[in-house]
Amino acid sequence: MTCRSIMNVNPPKLLCSSTVAEALGLLRWENRMNLPVVDAKGQYAGLFGAHQILMLALPKGACIDDKQGFAYVTDTQKDITNRLQGVAHHPVERYMDSESPPLHPDMPLVETMLTLYRRHEDLPVIDPETRQLLGIVTIRSSLGKLMVQS
Amino acid sequence: MHSGSELTSTLFGFDPMWISSLILIATYAAIMSEKINRAIVALLGAGVMILFGVLNQEMAVKGVDFNTIALLTGMMIIVSVTRKSGVFQYVAIWSAKQVKANPAGILLMLQVVTAVFSALLDNVTTVLLIVPVTMVICEELKIKPYPVLVAEIFASNIGGTATLIGDPPNIIIGSATGLTFNDFVMNLAPVIIVIQLVTCAIFHVMWGRKLHAAPENRARVMSFNENEAITDRRLLKQSLSVIFFVILGFILARPLHLEPGTIAMFGAAVLMLLANLGRDAETQSHEVHHTFTEVEWITIFFFVGLFMVVSGVEHAGVLKMLAEYLIAATGGDLTITAIAILWSSAILSAVIDNIPFVATMIPLIKNMAPTFGGPEGLLPLWWSLSLGACLGGNGTLIGASANLTVAGLAERAGTRFSFVTYMKVAFPIMLVSIVISTAYVWWRFL
């Protein structure tokens, strides 16, 4: 078995030009932790999701050193909302994760599961030749499919 | 100084002077190109030096200054443990509140804090700790962080020049010459204080007086609770105690007959012991492993390889020959030689890594001892080399590791640093610091 066997085809996706506000709306509507981002040609460009939104909600300095605590900052919920509103109209292309490698459809199943386990997030599946987005493997649906098969 | 006759026979009978010079130049070029990690380059250079027979393994190992390695590693461990306490953030926030969150005052205070930390710790660590707090403060004040970050780069390189442990060039110079912590403080700190004050004034006129923040934004910074930055009070007390005794050890190193490397490494071991007291074996292993991963091994292995490469050219007699050329060029005049070293170090350190430069200059300067009346006569040259190499790093974005660290962190938070924009501001200010240094060296030592 390969990654293809647990992949969901035609997943909801964002465009590079989609705004942060649109992305947040789609994430909530689809009840997803993240979504793949594609360019105008349908080629995979990156991932955008809760991690990026949390980063945008935090003070900028807080995200550049993951070893420092920021308990001294006294921001309120309103401050955090204001911070998000400041970037609501920015394209997701600016903040998406374009460095983490996507999955390939012929990746062995165990390797796919291991990648899910290590990355703790839903992962896109792309054609390695054309970089076209083929589908997505979500932690929830992959567990569901495997349980049904067992 | 070793003569060429002590050398092992070189591969194919190559002239050791030529082959060692070529290896040194190739190593420099590869480091400057930044295409390959500098630790890899230095270790490859060292390996080639041995393979070509310029050095044998015993000579290569002897060429490594283990006092420098121990001092760097020990201080990295101490800082790695200490930073977990949150003390650096505490001081930064406390200082910002002392000036009522006035942006011009914060610009000044963060320079002072950075300079003091940099004098006692390594520069890269200092900026790694200060930049995130700076970004948060600037965001709350709704002011551009760029001026504050540039000022912090300067403060880190200027402050680091004041002590033996503040900047790697000083560590190498101190270790190679036997100059102590006290020697550096007594001879360099006075001019460093002047240079820092002048730099603060320049940045105030250029940027500080134009920085304004709305009262409500200043109130947000004033609402920061610096006590919340302290994450581990027990560790804080342990760390500050160890740092106090380590610095006391540096001050008393000469009467105690101890090398700085021993003091730093012993301090690191004591701090790890204190921090792990009462923990089970597994947790201790995990914590110690984590502490060791925080050591900048790239820097450590870069030093190891570099010392071997420089040892190769030294053994081949290249540096003795260069020293003779330099003495001939300056007519054997100490004043001209000191000023030449100060200015050439400054200009070159702005464009190339100052660590290999200083590592190469040390044996070269040592070779001048007979001309200037022995090791005592070289003191003005050591201070010139230190001031030039450390302060010159401010001139461009690639001049010092701290500069690139600040730029990298700032860009991750959306503040762009461009090479040219930075240099337009930084290079003239760096030259001001070298003019002040020239006057000081001439007045104090010549």
Side-chain angles (χ1 to χ4, degrees):
Chain A
M1 285 179 78
T2 64
C3 171
R4 194 189 299 273
S5 57
I6 57 167
M7 167 182 94
N8 297 333
V9 293
N10 294 322
K13 52 186 173 283
L14 297 164
L15 295 172
C16 288
S17 56
S18 303
T19 64
V20 171
E22 289 166 351
L24 186 53
L26 191 58
L27 283 163
R28 293 187 65 190
W29 176 258
E30 296 286 348
N31 198 21
R32 298 290 180 106
M33 287 292 282
N34 61 17
L35 289 167
V37 183
V38 295
D39 63 16
K41 294 176 184 168
Q43 287 185 322
Y44 173 72
L47 271 177
F48 184 88
H51 183 76
Q52 285 71 28
I53 289 171
L54 286 172
M55 182 191 77
L56 293 170
L58 287 165
K60 284 175 183 168
C63 299
I64 58 176
D65 183 2
D66 52 11
K67 289 174 189 152
Q68 283 191 31
F70 287 84
Y72 57 83
V73 179
T74 52
D75 280 6
T76 61
Q77 189 179 342
K78 187 166 175 272
D79 297 321
I80 291 167
T81 308
N82 285 343
R83 203 173 280 126
L84 276 178
Q85 279 176 347
V87 295
H89 298 292
H90 292 181
V92 293
E93 186 179 26
R94 220 157 127 175
Y95 307 109
M96 67 188 178
D97 170 13
S98 55
E99 290 177 3
S100 301
L103 303 176
H104 295 161
D106 298 326
M107 184 181 271
L109 185 62
V110 170
E111 188 66 16
T112 305
M113 302 299 292
L114 187 63
T115 312
L116 280 177
Y117 164 74
R118 286 182 177 156
R119 299 256 302 264
H120 313 284
E121 60 180 353
D122 300 342
L123 298 169
V125 184
I126 70 159
D127 184 325
E129 301 292 322
T130 63
R131 291 195 62 81
Q132 289 289 317
L133 180 70
L134 301 176
I136 192 161
V137 173
T138 70
I139 295 171
R140 189 182 296 173
S141 75
S142 63
L143 289 178
K145 285 179 185 179
L146 291 166
M147 284 167 72
V148 167
Q149 285 172 5
S150 67
Chain B
M1 179 64 202
H2 302 258
S3 68
S5 60
E6 290 175 73
L7 299 175
T8 55
S9 58
T10 54
L11 197 66
F12 307 125
F14 285 136
D15 180 350
M17 285 185 96
W18 277 106
I19 196 69
S20 63
S21 301
L22 282 175
I23 295 169
L24 179 75
I25 291 166
T27 306
Y28 260 71
I31 292 168
M32 283 174 70
S33 76
E34 295 182 349
K35 300 278 184 202
I36 306 170
N37 181 280
R38 61 182 185 159
I40 300 174
V41 173
L43 291 173
L44 279 175
V48 173
M49 208 60 100
I50 296 169
L51 287 175
F52 271 86
V54 179
L55 294 174
N56 59 33
Q57 185 168 315
E58 190 189 352
M59 291 157 80
V61 172
K62 271 187 184 169
V64 178
D65 181 352
F66 284 100
N67 181 48
T68 294
I69 301 295
L71 178 51
L72 278 167
T73 312
M75 291 308 291
M76 284 175 188
I77 291 172
I78 291 172
V79 172
S80 160
V81 176
T82 305
R83 67 179 290 183
K84 291 179 194 160
S85 68
V87 63
F88 303 105
Q89 291 90 328
Y90 174 92
V91 175
I93 296 162
W94 176 85
S95 67
K97 290 173 77 170
Q98 291 308 300
V99 290
K100 310 287 181 211
N102 176 297
I106 286 176
L107 178 69
L108 174 71
M109 289 300 272
L110 288 180
Q111 285 179 84
V112 173
V113 168
T114 308
V116 172
F117 278 152
S118 286
L120 302 176
L121 311 169
D122 110 89
N123 295 354
V124 171
T125 307
T126 302
V127 296
L128 268 174
L129 296 166
I130 292 292
V131 168
V133 192
T134 303
M135 297 297 287
V136 170
I137 291 172
C138 290
E139 189 176 346
E140 297 288 358
L141 289 174
K142 295 194 176 7
I143 60 171
K144 287 185 178 171
Y146 186 81
V148 190
L149 296 176
V150 172
E152 285 176 355
I153 288 177
F154 266 78
S156 121
N157 290 320
I158 292 170
T161 315
T163 67
L164 167 74
I165 54 171
D167 214 354
N170 284 3
I171 294 177
I172 317 175
I173 293 170
S175 188
T177 59
L179 291 168
T180 64
F181 185 86
N182 299 357
D183 292 329
F184 274 88
V185 171
M186 298 298 284
N187 289 286
L188 295 184
V191 69
I192 288 307
I193 292 169
V194 172
I195 290 170
Q196 186 59 68
L197 288 174
V198 170
T199 309
C200 286
I202 293 171
F203 282 128
H204 177 76
V205 172
M206 203 164 69
W207 285 324
R209 65 196 172 103
K210 297 170 196 162
L211 292 174
H212 299 289
E216 63 270 24
N217 294 333
R218 288 173 61 177
R220 290 165 66 89
V221 173
M222 291 305 290
S223 75
F224 282 4
N225 184 355
E226 63 271 31
N227 291 316
E228 291 285 348
I230 302 295
T231 51
D232 189 335
R233 289 186 185 279
R234 179 171 164 261
L235 183 63
L236 175 72
K237 287 176 192 164
Q238 292 169 340
S239 305
L240 293 182
S241 305
V242 168
I243 289 175
F244 172 78
F245 283 110
V246 165
I247 291 172
L248 190 65
F250 289 145
I251 293 168
L252 300 174
R254 192 167 277 168
L256 291 173
H257 303 292
L258 289 173
E259 291 291 333
T262 308
I263 296 165
M265 205 50 106
F266 184 66
V270 169
L271 183 53
M272 284 194 287
L273 172 73
L274 294 173
N276 285 289
L277 276 179
R279 287 178 172 151
D280 60 67
E282 194 180 335
T283 311
Q284 281 188 40
S285 295
H286 177 77
E287 288 295 321
V288 173
H289 176 75
H290 181 259
T291 301
F292 285 162
T293 61
E294 300 252 300
V295 173
E296 294 164 47
W297 292 110
I298 289 176
T299 304
I300 300 299
F301 280 103
F302 174 58
F303 270 87
V304 170
L306 196 65
F307 280 133
M308 292 182 182
V309 172
V310 173
S311 176
V313 285
E314 187 190 2
H315 278 89
V318 177
L319 298 177
K320 186 179 181 192
M321 188 187 70
L322 286 176
E324 284 164 2
Y325 278 132
L326 189 57
I327 289 167
T330 58
D333 184 298
L334 185 62
T335 304
I336 297 173
T337 309
I339 305 298
I341 288 174
L342 175 60
W343 279 86
S344 59
S345 306
I347 304 296
L348 287 170
S349 292
V351 289
I352 64 167
D353 195 327
N354 58 12
I355 294 170
F357 175 74
V358 169
T360 315
M361 283 298 287
I362 286 171
L364 193 151
I365 291 176
K366 277 186 172 176
N367 277 305
M368 298 178 179
T371 307
F372 297 121
E376 284 296 314
L378 297 180
L379 284 174
L381 306 186
W382 297 129
W383 305 132
S384 299
L385 178 65
S386 167
L387 288 166
C390 296
L391 298 175
N394 275 325
T396 70
L397 213 45
I398 58 164
S401 304
N403 311 10
L404 288 169
T405 305
V406 173
L409 290 172
E411 293 204 349
R412 280 173 65 186
T415 299
R416 196 172 175 296
F417 264 73
S418 110
F419 183 87
V420 175
T421 312
Y422 175 84
M423 196 176 80
K424 278 181 184 170
V425 170
F427 205 84
I429 302 176
M430 181 274 283
L431 291 180
V432 170
S433 71
I434 299 303
V435 168
I436 296 170
S437 301
T438 307
Y440 178 76
V441 168
W442 182 77
W443 167 73
R444 178 98 191 256
F445 306 115
L446 298 172

